[in-house]
Amino acid sequence: YVITGVDIFSFNILIIPYHTKSCNHWVCIAINLDTQTTFYYDSLANYNSNEVQQVHEVCFTLQKELI
């Protein structure tokens, strides 16, 4: 996807602010496109693997469609 002329998949790591539905607060999801790993940072130490997995899958599905 291109945002203001920048191809976001040209970067090695995507930093995504994400509002969780389960805890109703913001977390940070970092996705390494080279290694296809996802890191989840939450100041409240809550973890919702379903939401993180969905973000991970959407990102890599989009990346595959654009290649």
Side-chain angles (χ1 to χ4, degrees):
Y1 277 75
V2 177
I3 301 172
T4 62
V6 177
D7 176 10
I8 63 170
F9 293 109
S10 66
F11 296 100
N12 295 335
I13 297 175
L14 298 178
I15 306 294
I16 303 168
Y18 181 77
H19 187 263
T20 64
K21 295 173 185 78
S22 58
C23 301
N24 196 30
H25 81 107
W26 288 92
V27 298
C28 179
I29 297 175
I31 299 177
N32 186 320
L33 297 174
D34 292 335
T35 61
Q36 295 191 352
T37 53
T38 302
F39 299 93
Y40 178 79
Y41 302 97
D42 185 349
S43 62
L44 298 179
N46 296 313
Y47 183 71
N48 186 321
S49 61
N50 291 333
E51 287 181 305
V52 174
Q53 184 64 29
Q54 287 175 349
V55 172
H56 177 91
E57 289 173 2
V58 166
C59 178
F60 288 106
T61 299
L62 291 173
Q63 185 184 32
K64 288 176 186 173
E65 288 177 3
L66 295 172
I67 294 177

